[in-house]
Amino acid sequence: MNKQIILTASFLGLIAVILGAFGAHGLEGKISEYHLATWKTANQYHFYHTLALLFLSTFSRAKSPSIRVSFIAFTVGILFFSGSLYVLSVRSLLDIEIASWLGPVTPIGGLFFMTGWVGLFVAAIRHRA
């Protein structure tokens, strides 16, 4: 599982860097300041939880079900929370107004993030050093 977590975190980290650079250099002047700020928020949470995934890999040898829950929850949280904010930020630019249904997906992603942090908390309590 350690390798799976590291591979996932590496891939998501690469995507976070690419999307961060795209937001900083490719979107400025093309979308509103409000939407640019939303893009930056998506990118920050994307990075935070990619780093959290890397931290999870240090616990993975404990074979804790809580670590598995955190791994899945952080990954899904990145996809739902950050992914929905990325799309919502550029929906007018891409002319995909139908994407407004993504608004409710964002807080669901936030719930996945919270679940991941609870899983990490539980794993830390149960882990014997």
Side-chain angles (χ1 to χ4, degrees), residues 25-63:
H25 303 291
L27 292 177
E28 200 164 5
K30 292 185 174 81
I31 60 176
S32 69
E33 288 298 318
Y34 173 81
H35 287 108
L36 196 55
T38 300
W39 183 278
K40 288 178 182 179
T41 298
N43 197 245
Q44 286 175 333
Y45 277 81
H46 188 159
F47 267 117
Y48 297 154
H49 290 87
T50 296
L51 294 174
L53 283 170
L54 286 175
F55 183 73
L56 280 180
S57 71
T58 66
F59 278 86
S60 67
R61 296 189 199 283
K63 306 247 188 259

